[in-house]
Every structure is written in C-alpha cells, then in structure tokens.
Amino acid sequence: MRRFAADRARRAVAASLRGAASSRSAAASPLAPAPCHPAPPVGAAAMAAALARTMSTAAAGTPPVSLNTINPKVLKCEYAVRGEIVTHAQNLQQELQKNPDSLPFDEILYCNIGNPQSLGQQPVTYFREVLSLCDHPALLDKSETHALYSSDAIERAWQILDKIPGRATGAYSHSQGIKGLRDEIAAGIAARDGFHASGDNIFLTDGASPAVHMMMQLLIGSEKDGILCPIPQYPLYSASIALHGGSLVPYFLDEETGWGLEVDELKKQLEEARSKGITVRALVAINPGNPTGQVLAEENQKKIVEFCKNEGLVLLADEVYQENIYVEDKQFHSFKKIARSLGYTDDDLPLVSFQSVSKGYYGECGKRGGYMEITGFSPEVREQIYKLASVNLCSNVSGQILASLVMNPPKAGDESFESFMVERDGILSSLARRAKALEEAFNSLEGITCNKAEGAMYLFPRLHLPQKAIGVAQAAGTAPDAYYAKRLLEATGIVIVPGSGFGQVPGTWHFRCTILPQEDKMPAIISRFKEFHEKFMDEFRD
Amino acid sequence: MRRFAADRARRAVAASLRGAASSRSAAASPLAPAPCHPAPPVGAAAMAAALARTMSTAAAGTPPVSLNTINPKVLKCEYAVRGEIVTHAQNLQQELQKNPDSLPFDEILYCNIGNPQSLGQQPVTYFREVLSLCDHPALLDKSETHALYSSDAIERAWQILDKIPGRATGAYSHSQGIKGLRDEIAAGIAARDGFHASGDNIFLTDGASPAVHMMMQLLIGSEKDGILCPIPQYPLYSASIALHGGSLVPYFLDEETGWGLEVDELKKQLEEARSKGITVRALVAINPGNPTGQVLAEENQKKIVEFCKNEGLVLLADEVYQENIYVEDKQFHSFKKIARSLGYTDDDLPLVSFQSVSKGYYGECGKRGGYMEITGFSPEVREQIYKLASVNLCSNVSGQILASLVMNPPKAGDESFESFMVERDGILSSLARRAKALEEAFNSLEGITCNKAEGAMYLFPRLHLPQKAIGVAQAAGTAPDAYYAKRLLEATGIVIVPGSGFGQVPGTWHFRCTILPQEDKMPAIISRFKEFHEKFMDEFRD
C-alpha cells in the first residue's frame, strides 16, 4: 500500500513538471511523510511544510474543493432575495460609512426583504417580556421583577415554564418541539379555523424555511419528482427544489386578475409535466402571496383543494402572512379550514401549513421561530418526517415559545391586552397605509402598473420598459429588471429585488418592493423613487 | 385537455372496480369537477366530497405519499440518538405518568443524549442575564433593572446591541451572522489558539448540526463522493451523508489504545475507497471524541493535518467538546492551531471547525447556537457556502449572541467574574467526578470494559456478552447491544444508546452513556445499573 502511495506521488511530481496536474488526486504532495513516522517537532515540521509548499506549488495548484468538484445542485441553486443586488448594496453601505459624501444618498434602504425590525419596527412588548423572563427564570422568584414586567407576562412565563420538562429552557426539546407549546399552538389554530387541531401534528422549526426544506427533502428523490410552484414565487421554493434535485413545475399566476390562481392553469401544467415523465408530488400555494401580495378568494381555495385531492398531490400551503391582510373585502382562510369545510378529512388529502414568527404584525425574523402543521400523512411517512426533524435535534426554544405566543396573544381582560392591541393595530394599520401609498405612487408613474397589496409585505409592480432600456440591459448581459434595480440602487440607495429572481411571464419585467419602510420616511422614499424613475424613462425614451 | 381528464377519470373508475388501482394517478376522483366550473357552496360541496370518498375508496387506497414514493435517501438515513430506544422510553414515561406504580422504577433517566439541562444542570447566570436583557432592550433604560441584573451583564448587553444594526435583535441578520458578533468570536478563537482568526470566516448556525449539513451538501454530489468518518461516530455524520447521497468511508478508532486515531488506518481506508472509484472529499475528526470520549494527542493531530494536506482532503473538525476535558494530562488543541503551528496557511488546507453552545460547561442545547469557522476555501467556493447559508436567511439571533458570549466569557475584574468561575468550575469538576465514578463502576463489572472519558460527555463501554445473550437477541432479530439496552431500560428506566447506532468493529458490542445525571443521583443510578447487569449476566451465563 505504501508503495502504491509512493508511485502515485511520483506520478504527481511528473505531472506537475509537465504542468498538467489537473486531477484532484495529483494534489498529493511528493513529500508526504510515510504514515507511520512520528511527526517532527513543530519548528522542523513547519520548515518541512514550507519546503513542501514551495516544491509542490503546481500540484497544489489544484485545490481540494473547486466549483468543478462541489455538488452541482448547489451551483444550480439561486436565491435572489439575498443575491447580487444585496451584495452590491452592502458594498455601497460600507463605502458610505467610510466616505459619507461619496454617494448621492446618505443611507441604504433595504426594501428587498420582509424584515420589519431592520427598518425600525419595534417588537411587541408583551412577547418580549415573556421571552426575557423565560431566558432568565431566576427573575420569577424576585419581587423586584414586578416593577419591570407586566403581571400577565409574569404569569404567562410561569405557564410556559410549567409546560417545559424540568422548566429547562436550555435543554433540547422533543424533536417536534415542546409538547405543551405544540398543544397551545394547536388550540390557536382551532380557534382560528373552527376545526380541530392537534399538537401531535405540529413540528416546530427555526422559521418556516427549514420546514419547507424538510418537506422537499421528503418528497423529492430525483429530477423525476416535480413540485408545482406559482410563478412568480418566493425563491426559497425554487432554491430548495434545486438543492434537492427535483423539478419545479411552474404555474403562472394571472397578473390581469390581480395575480389570480386558476385551476385551469394548474391542470395544464400538471398534464404537461406528466407527459414529460415527471411525477408531480405536491402543489405549493402561497397565501397571502409572496411576492405578489394577493389574498386568495375562498372559492378559489376550494378549487385548489379539490384539485390536489383529485390529482393525489400534497398541498404545501405557505401561510406565513396570515395576519397580514390590508383590505376590508378579503379574509385569511387556512387551506386546512377550507379542506375541512369541504368535508375532507385526514384520509383525503395530505396537507402542510407553514407558519413563521418572522411575519405577521410581530415581524420577529431574528427569532427564527415557526412551525408546520401536517395532516393526512400515514403513520409510516410521519415517522420519516419525525426522523428528519430529529437529525437536527430540535428548533430553538425561544422561537418555540414565541410561536406559541403569537398563536395565543393576550386576551380581553389580561393586564397587557389594551396596550398589546394598540401596538398590534398600530402596526397593521400603518402597514395598510404604507401599502396603499406605495401602490398609488407606483401606479402614478409612466411605465409602471401595480396590483393592490391585499396582504403580505410586498408590492410586485410591472415595469413597462422602453425598448432602448431593454436593449442596453441585454447588451450588458443583464435582465432588464435587474438593470433597473441596479440603477435605482446606485441613484437612490433603495434596494429592490428584480422580478427575474421570482420568475415571471417571459418578456415581462417586474420588481418586488417591501412596504416596510417606516411611515415618516415614506414620502421621501416615494419622491426619491419618482425622481429616479422619471429620469430613467426620459433617458431611454424610444 | 378536459376530455383527456375525463378519459383518465373513466380509466380510474374502471381500475378501481377491478380492484387494481395501484398507480398514483389512478387516485384521481371520478367526481372531480371540471376545472372551469365554479365550486358549489360549502354544504353541497361537503356532500359531494363525502360521496366521492365513498365511491372512490379503492382508488383512494393509494395515498399520494407512501414509503414507496418518498425520497429513498430519507428512508436510508438513521439517527440512533433519538431512535427506537428513545421512543420506547417516551412511551414508558407516559405509562408512568398515568400509572406511577406500573413499572419497577419511578422515573426515566435519559442518558442517551448530551443534554445537561434536561437532567438538572442550571444555566450559567451571566449568560442568561445578557440574553434576557437583549430580548427586552427596553429594560436597559430603566433604573430598576440594576436591582435585578449584574452591572457587567447590563454593560455587555449594551455592547452587543451596539453591534447589531439598529439594535434590532428581532431582525434577520447577515446570513453569516451579525458581523460584530462574528468579530468577537474570532477574537475568542485567536485568544484560544494564538493564531489570527477573522470574523469573515465565521458562519453562525442554529447549533452545529446545520453547519455539518451545509458542508455535506456542498461536498457531496453523488454516491461517488466519499467522506472519511470515524467508527464509532456521532450519527449526525452518517445521517447527513445518507441524506445527501454520499458514501461514508469508515475508519476505525482503536479501542485498545483508548480510541486512538491512526493515520495508517486512514490511509488504508482511503486507498480502499479510491480503488472502488470513490473520490474522498473530506475527513471528519471528532475531538474530544463522541461517542468515545478520548482527547487526541497533539502529535496525532499533526499527522492527521498532514494526511489531509497531502491527500487533498477537507478537514471537518468537530470541536464542540473543546471545553469538556477531564484529565490533567490532556489539553484541547484546535486543528486550526495545529495546522498553523505546522506552518500551513489558507493555501494549504481547507479546514472547517464546528462549535456549539450546546456543549461545553454551559450546555445550552435549547438555544441552538453554534458556528463554523472555514479557512482555506477559494472565494468562489466560499460564495457557494454563503449562498447555502442565505437560503435559510440566518441563524437565530439569541443563539448568535450566546455563541459570542461563550467564546468571550467574563474576565478577571468584571463584577460577575468570580461567581461565573464558581459556576463554571463547579460544573466542570462535577462532570470530571461523574465521568470517573461511572467509568469505575462499569470497569468493576463482569463483562464490561471501559476506556477513560478524557473529554466530551460520554462513556462508550464495551459489552462482552455471553454467547447465550447474543443468540437470544439475534433470534429476536435485534443487535445484541440493542437487546441489552432495551432490557436495561425496562428494568431500570435508564436510557442508553446501543453501540450499533454509532458503528463498531463487527462482532463487538458497546453502548453510549452520558455522564450527565446530577451527582446526588449517581450512586442510585450506579447501583440500579449494577443490579440489572449482574442479573442479566446470570440469566445468560454460558
């Protein structure tokens, strides 16, 4: 064996001398010590290593890890929400810090991501009080604590600790999450829907993203497994499908009807995928929509449920914006409520509902709390889902506590109830005003049309760009909406995500913009945006 | 298209009548409404659905998701630490709650997993004070806060908040984690190792597990990609390699030499894997060892580093037990320190060090904090790692804060320093006493030999079982060590993990047992264990 190694080393030297050491195994150093020799003391070893480095430069020129050797699925995966434009923005931000007068704006405004607290939204006091107490339970025994925390937060912290085995907030929990907290979440779901929910069906996760990955990992075995996804979609789905090596089967939302989700279109795409030999495993529905902001009508949801039932698809319902509804005439209905109201039970339809503490009025993105409620899976398959959860042991316990709180906020009569409602309604009504102000601003501009933000945290306006702008972008090898986003950033400091990161009907161009900048900043942002846009249109007018 | 659907539905009905509806597509209900019809109102729809259920029972007998249709890699993955024995223990615990006298013990003792706070270890006060303040920053403005928190914890909370953009602990952070916290961690690493470390190389993660998955996802493209793993190993590695479809290339630790890691063995296994056409991408080294508890000698680590450098392997160093050393004659050295002391730089060797807040003396498993430090990767590959991190947005911010705290605990002169050191040393010295007491107890028994727990949180004793016991277990289709573990649980309530869950030399039998039960419980546990073991040996004596 040792002789074999020596032979390989000789071949490697020969190859490096020919300058042809391109294969990974040729990276073996010709000075490799025979395995059994004791290593020399540090000083000498360092010298020998330095010598080896000098002598084997050519062989070492092939690094052990390169884009050619890593998992090609990782290369294929894209995630625009934190993509190129954000990296560019971060670089500009550093430039601003070093040299505040170097750019035509004095701050970067991150409208690329639904991250409310990064733009100044304050956390909801009651939730933070409870978390703070659970982090340091010794406080609960001290009388001074009553001077700092509301009495119902103290009581709630006790209740939560009593649900945690040994009151140990620092222990790994059950892999699905703490049973008592899951039961509380199930009670919140039942109160929301008017249908039974069980803590046994809840899997608490670090935000919704790991839950989505877990389901994709379960459902996708090869590129022959397809997942129906809306276009435009939140790129977590395309990224996760790419990472797990499946096929994204697109269905297009209809911009003309306010991003309507038509079952005809689902059917058409499903048949087309099947004709290509793809087994479609699941349908992703995002309601309220991301990036599109629409809220599905109840009748539409019924048809989607029936479609999944009839076609034997898992319904993956992204419902993380369930609290973010800004119009009077729309309401959130969970897909589970819709399915149950149609008379469908666990036997009819496997259904997963994703929820997150990052969204809602609370916007606690940094806490990474969330859950999925799974129904309609056989015990054997559930066991596999549990195994996937258990490999990561459990989600973070603060996030678990917060998930149970947002699903069961203070009730009338609780000491914190009134102040809680003031905070909650203040945030939601402000979001509604901001959504409307931005939508009107976009629609007032030449070359932009924008659907209503009925819910979620985004607008997804369409750019009707002059042909000249499209030509310039394409000549630079950039998608026209990416070109627009880059120019906007460089002129105003506003960060948006080009529509091409979400998918769109070919030949149309959009961008996603959050509605999250604080209200006092909105007029200035709108006027900066308008000024840029008008100049841009003038520059490229056909 | 509609006619096509109707045809399919007809075929499905025909198939169900023949009782042959086994294909997934046959699950389509014959009563599926044509896609364009408006859905009937709820009541009628529910009736129609119920009718459809009745009529399509046979077709619906093929569920959309079954063990035959899910990702086969998920089926293949195993995770013994939370496997069958733990599920059995949880069931017994429920039985005990319902009927306290039904079993020959009054509590379940979870020695299956390194989860100190679940067994009564108290969190370190200073860390929890800081976390509690960061969760509710409004406290920092109140004078009453000084009555409840130490002044250096208050100061530290301010420092941390000042490192977080907008002091927003509820915002998504940079995908690698908050820059200021990463810099602080890098400073802690540099102080530990005496070599430079950079915050740019730190990726904060929800515990170490997601970091391990991220690296496996990066490195494994197919079953032709191999990862050298110790046997016995922590089953996160085998699980993650299975989930990502790679090949685990085992190398055996030598029980005779206290679980020594011999480079001869590495070399042998590497060559064997290569001869099978496997490209070995990385070597996993766990130091201190899990499940084996050994601490590698510096000379041994040097040889491992040189082996990786010479063979072009990524060194994946699991160093989560770096603070858990219980013997005078051993010290922890990070692999990065070893590599740098050998004179190797970023150009020589890609190296990843995993660290977690779950272990150490703090044992904050529920907080899901951790990081990986990556060095020696090209900018293009780093970008791919960053992309993987960004798809999950970021790790939880409380965990990030805690990771920065454990790498920079209170220093001499700080108000909390003395009480902090009392807590820290109390835990570590107690762990050392418990490790020794358990080791001596195991070694005092007939048919058990046990190496020293030099570090980590486990003992991995070898069971020399009577042939009769092996025969009975095998007749029952169970591994002999799994049979032993089950019998132990049922007799004593003590949960251990069979060695077969970690891998072992074929024909040898072991179990992993944590050293974590509190000291006052140790004598009773040891005597329960002894009593069981002696009876077991008597029962099966050849």
Side-chain angles (χ1 to χ4, degrees):
Chain A
M1 191 191 73
R2 242 190 265 172
R3 197 168 57 189
F4 180 64
D7 283 342
R8 279 189 47 250
R10 267 195 294 278
R11 282 199 302 278
V13 177
S16 77
L17 290 175
R18 286 196 308 273
S22 63
S23 90
R24 266 180 95 251
S25 59
S29 158
L31 288 191
C36 289
H37 290 182
V42 172
M47 277 174 58
L51 189 63
R53 263 201 318 283
T54 315
M55 295 188 63
S56 66
T57 311
T62 308
V65 194
S66 73
L67 295 189
N68 294 325
T69 62
I70 65 168
N71 180 359
K73 291 177 198 141
V74 172
L75 275 181
K76 208 180 146 193
C77 153
E78 281 179 23
Y79 191 63
V81 171
R82 292 221 159 171
E84 212 172 310
I85 192 90
V86 182
T87 307
H88 189 36
Q90 286 166 343
N91 292 340
L92 291 182
Q93 189 162 29
Q94 285 179 4
E95 216 168 299
L96 268 185
Q97 274 161 0
K98 276 185 237 154
N99 198 345
D101 297 327
S102 60
L103 297 170
F105 45 85
D106 52 16
E107 65 169 337
I108 302 284
L109 259 164
Y110 288 98
C111 299
N112 58 302
I113 189 164
N115 194 8
Q117 295 190 32
S118 76
L119 294 177
Q121 183 176 308
Q122 291 305 301
V124 173
T125 307
Y126 174 84
F127 295 153
R128 291 303 191 98
E129 284 185 323
V130 178
L131 286 182
S132 171
L133 290 164
C134 290
D135 263 347
H136 191 30
L139 293 180
L140 289 166
D141 295 323
K142 298 187 182 173
S143 58
E144 294 94 332
T145 302
H146 290 269
L148 283 174
Y149 294 87
S150 62
S151 63
D152 55 341
I154 293 174
E155 199 182 318
R156 188 70 175 268
W158 275 121
Q159 285 169 9
I160 287 170
L161 289 174
D162 284 342
K163 291 179 200 292
I164 301 177
R167 294 184 179 162
T169 53
Y172 291 128
S173 73
H174 186 284
S175 293
Q176 284 183 238
I178 292 156
K179 179 64 164 66
L181 300 180
R182 284 187 275 131
D183 289 343
E184 207 164 328
I185 288 169
I189 294 172
R192 179 195 70 194
D193 291 347
F195 289 96
H196 173 73
S198 162
D200 293 337
N201 294 338
I202 305 294
F203 283 70
L204 282 150
T205 48
D206 293 309
S209 304
V212 169
H213 287 306
M214 219 186 290
M215 291 312 299
M216 294 301 173
Q217 190 153 43
L218 181 85
L219 296 170
I220 297 172
S222 76
E223 71 285 355
K224 291 285 172 202
D225 294 316
I227 309 289
L228 269 163
C229 277
I231 297 295
Q233 52 107 29
Y234 175 48
L236 168 65
Y237 293 97
S238 50
S240 189
I241 294 167
L243 284 175
H244 293 102
S247 293
L248 188 152
V249 180
Y251 66 88
F252 288 88
L253 301 175
D254 183 16
E255 185 162 10
E256 299 301 310
T257 59
W259 301 111
L261 197 174
E262 298 301 329
V263 172
D264 268 0
E265 165 70 6
L266 292 176
K267 189 85 189 158
K268 186 180 109 188
Q269 300 294 350
L270 176 70
E271 296 299 347
E272 196 177 315
R274 283 179 178 164
S275 74
K276 292 178 189 159
I278 290 172
T279 306
V280 178
R281 302 283 179 198
L283 167 80
V284 173
I286 310 175
N287 181 47
N290 175 5
T292 40
Q294 85 284 24
V295 177
L296 294 178
E298 199 175 343
E299 287 308 308
N300 195 193
Q301 288 185 271
K302 285 180 189 165
K303 288 189 202 169
I304 296 164
V305 166
E306 281 172 347
F307 173 78
C308 289
K309 147 107 188 98
N310 294 334
E311 300 293 349
L313 303 180
V314 179
L315 177 47
L316 300 172
D318 181 334
E319 300 180 326
V320 301
Y321 296 98
Q322 56 189 267
E323 312 245 25
N324 298 90
I325 311 274
Y326 309 123
V327 286
E328 292 289 324
D329 58 334
K330 288 285 181 83
Q331 253 191 301
F332 171 75
H333 301 286
S334 78
F335 272 103
K336 191 173 141 226
K337 173 181 169 186
I338 298 289
R340 296 293 175 268
S341 70
L342 284 169
Y344 292 138
T345 70
D346 254 7
D347 296 333
D348 297 298
L349 179 81
L351 198 159
V352 184
S353 166
F354 301 104
Q355 165 67 321
S356 168
V357 304
S358 304
K359 309 303 172 188
Y361 54 90
Y362 24 88
E364 290 278 17
C365 306
K367 295 295 174 190
R368 310 310 286 124
Y371 70 78
M372 57 178 182
E373 183 192 16
I374 64 165
T375 51
F377 291 86
S378 69
E380 306 82 53
V381 173
R382 288 177 61 108
E383 219 170 272
Q384 299 297 318
I385 301 173
Y386 175 77
K387 186 172 68 182
L388 282 178
S390 77
V391 174
N392 278 329
L393 298 166
C394 68
S395 64
N396 84 86
V397 170
S398 298
Q400 292 188 27
I401 293 171
L402 188 51
S404 79
L405 291 173
V406 304
M407 295 304 286
N408 296 277
K411 288 178 182 54
D414 294 349
E415 182 188 314
S416 296
F417 180 69
E418 274 185 41
S419 61
F420 164 78
M421 288 302 281
V422 168
E423 290 180 55
R424 175 187 175 279
D425 293 344
I427 294 167
L428 285 172
S429 58
S430 165
L431 284 170
R433 284 192 300 272
R434 287 179 263 170
K436 205 162 161 41
L438 262 184
E439 174 210 319
E440 286 173 359
F442 288 140
N443 277 321
S444 76
L445 293 174
E446 178 197 4
I448 294 190
T449 52
C450 182
N451 278 319
K452 223 190 262 188
E454 299 176 330
M457 294 181 170
Y458 316 100
L459 288 164
F460 197 65
R462 180 166 172 184
L463 286 169
H464 307 264
L465 294 174
Q467 205 50 46
K468 211 165 122 192
I470 295 173
V472 167
Q474 287 172 339
T478 317
D481 47 13
Y483 178 73
Y484 181 90
K486 187 161 178 270
R487 289 283 304 267
L488 175 71
L489 169 62
E490 288 169 351
T492 65
I494 300 171
V495 192
I496 57 173
V497 187
S500 36
F502 303 90
Q504 52 201 345
V505 170
T508 69
W509 311 108
H510 301 78
F511 62 87
R512 187 183 84 165
C513 180
T514 71
I515 57 170
L516 298 176
Q518 291 297 291
E519 263 185 299
D520 56 348
K521 290 198 172 174
M522 218 33 125
I525 291 170
I526 288 174
S527 92
R528 263 149 85 184
F529 189 94
K530 275 190 173 173
E531 191 190 348
F532 159 78
H533 182 78
E534 281 158 9
K535 275 194 196 157
F536 185 92
M537 293 300 279
D538 286 343
E539 181 181 341
F540 293 104
R541 202 172 294 286
D542 297 312
Chain B
M1 193 192 73
R2 241 191 268 172
R3 196 168 57 188
F4 179 66
D7 283 342
R8 280 189 48 249
R10 267 194 293 278
R11 283 198 303 277
V13 177
S16 77
L17 290 175
R18 288 194 307 271
S22 63
S23 89
R24 268 178 94 250
S25 59
S29 159
L31 288 192
C36 289
H37 289 181
V42 171
M47 278 173 58
L51 189 62
R53 263 199 319 282
T54 316
M55 294 187 63
S56 66
T57 310
T62 308
V65 193
S66 74
L67 295 189
N68 295 325
T69 61
I70 64 167
N71 180 359
K73 291 177 197 142
V74 172
L75 275 180
K76 210 180 146 193
C77 154
E78 281 180 21
Y79 191 65
V81 171
R82 292 220 159 170
E84 212 172 309
I85 192 90
V86 182
T87 307
H88 188 35
Q90 286 166 343
N91 293 339
L92 292 181
Q93 189 162 29
Q94 285 180 3
E95 216 168 299
L96 269 185
Q97 274 162 0
K98 277 185 236 154
N99 197 346
D101 297 326
S102 60
L103 297 170
F105 45 84
D106 51 17
E107 65 169 337
I108 302 284
L109 258 163
Y110 288 98
C111 299
N112 58 304
I113 190 165
N115 194 8
Q117 296 190 29
S118 77
L119 294 176
Q121 183 176 309
Q122 291 306 301
V124 173
T125 308
Y126 174 84
F127 295 155
R128 290 303 190 97
E129 285 186 322
V130 178
L131 286 181
S132 170
L133 290 165
C134 290
D135 263 347
H136 191 30
L139 293 180
L140 290 167
D141 295 324
K142 297 187 182 172
S143 59
E144 294 94 331
T145 302
H146 289 270
L148 284 173
Y149 294 86
S150 62
S151 62
D152 54 341
I154 292 173
E155 197 182 319
R156 188 68 175 268
W158 274 121
Q159 286 168 10
I160 287 170
L161 289 174
D162 283 341
K163 291 178 200 293
I164 301 178
R167 293 183 179 163
T169 54
Y172 291 127
S173 72
H174 186 283
S175 292
Q176 285 184 235
I178 292 156
K179 179 63 164 69
L181 300 179
R182 285 188 275 132
D183 288 344
E184 207 165 329
I185 289 170
I189 294 172
R192 180 194 71 195
D193 291 348
F195 290 96
H196 173 72
S198 162
D200 294 337
N201 294 338
I202 306 294
F203 282 72
L204 282 151
T205 49
D206 292 310
S209 303
V212 170
H213 287 307
M214 219 186 289
M215 290 312 299
M216 294 301 175
Q217 190 154 42
L218 181 84
L219 295 171
I220 297 172
S222 78
E223 72 284 356
K224 290 286 173 202
D225 294 315
I227 309 289
L228 269 163
C229 277
I231 297 295
Q233 53 105 30
Y234 175 48
L236 167 64
Y237 294 97
S238 50
S240 189
I241 293 167
L243 284 175
H244 293 102
S247 294
L248 188 151
V249 179
Y251 65 88
F252 287 89
L253 301 175
D254 183 17
E255 185 162 12
E256 299 302 310
T257 58
W259 302 112
L261 196 174
E262 298 301 328
V263 172
D264 269 0
E265 166 70 5
L266 293 177
K267 188 85 191 157
K268 187 179 108 188
Q269 300 294 350
L270 175 70
E271 296 299 345
E272 196 176 315
R274 283 179 177 164
S275 74
K276 292 177 189 159
I278 290 172
T279 306
V280 178
R281 301 282 179 199
L283 167 81
V284 173
I286 310 177
N287 181 46
N290 176 6
T292 41
Q294 85 285 21
V295 177
L296 295 179
E298 200 176 342
E299 288 307 308
N300 196 192
Q301 287 185 271
K302 286 180 189 167
K303 289 188 203 171
I304 295 163
V305 167
E306 281 172 346
F307 173 78
C308 289
K309 145 108 189 98
N310 295 332
E311 300 293 350
L313 303 179
V314 178
L315 176 47
L316 299 173
D318 181 333
E319 300 181 324
V320 302
Y321 296 99
Q322 56 189 264
E323 312 244 25
N324 299 89
I325 311 274
Y326 308 123
V327 287
E328 292 288 324
D329 57 335
K330 288 284 182 81
Q331 253 190 301
F332 170 75
H333 302 285
S334 78
F335 273 104
K336 190 173 142 228
K337 173 181 167 184
I338 298 290
R340 295 293 175 268
S341 70
L342 285 168
Y344 292 138
T345 70
D346 254 8
D347 296 333
D348 297 299
L349 179 81
L351 199 160
V352 184
S353 167
F354 300 105
Q355 165 69 320
S356 168
V357 304
S358 303
K359 309 304 171 184
Y361 54 91
Y362 26 87
E364 290 278 16
C365 306
K367 295 295 173 188
R368 311 309 285 126
Y371 70 80
M372 58 177 179
E373 183 193 15
I374 64 163
T375 50
F377 290 86
S378 69
E380 305 82 55
V381 173
R382 287 177 62 108
E383 218 170 90
Q384 299 297 317
I385 301 173
Y386 176 77
K387 186 172 67 183
L388 282 177
S390 76
V391 174
N392 278 329
L393 297 167
C394 67
S395 63
N396 84 86
V397 169
S398 298
Q400 293 189 27
I401 293 170
L402 188 51
S404 80
L405 290 173
V406 305
M407 295 304 286
N408 296 277
K411 289 178 181 53
D414 294 348
E415 181 187 314
S416 295
F417 180 70
E418 275 185 41
S419 61
F420 164 77
M421 287 303 281
V422 168
E423 291 180 53
R424 175 187 176 280
D425 292 346
I427 293 167
L428 284 172
S429 58
S430 167
L431 284 170
R433 284 192 299 273
R434 286 179 263 169
K436 203 162 162 40
L438 261 184
E439 174 209 319
E440 285 173 0
F442 288 140
N443 276 321
S444 77
L445 294 173
E446 178 198 2
I448 294 190
T449 52
C450 182
N451 278 320
K452 221 190 264 189
E454 298 175 330
M457 294 182 169
Y458 317 100
L459 288 164
F460 197 66
R462 179 165 173 186
L463 285 168
H464 307 265
L465 294 173
Q467 205 50 49
K468 212 166 120 191
I470 295 173
V472 168
Q474 287 172 341
T478 319
D481 47 14
Y483 177 73
Y484 180 90
K486 185 160 179 270
R487 289 283 303 269
L488 174 71
L489 169 62
E490 287 169 352
T492 65
I494 301 171
V495 192
I496 56 173
V497 187
S500 36
F502 304 91
Q504 51 200 343
V505 170
T508 69
W509 311 108
H510 301 78
F511 61 88
R512 188 183 82 165
C513 179
T514 72
I515 58 170
L516 297 176
Q518 291 296 291
E519 262 185 300
D520 56 348
K521 289 198 171 173
M522 218 30 126
I525 292 169
I526 288 174
S527 92
R528 264 150 84 183
F529 189 95
K530 275 189 172 174
E531 192 192 348
F532 159 79
H533 182 79
E534 281 158 9
K535 275 194 194 155
F536 184 92
M537 293 300 278
D538 286 344
E539 182 181 341
F540 292 104
R541 202 172 295 284
D542 296 312

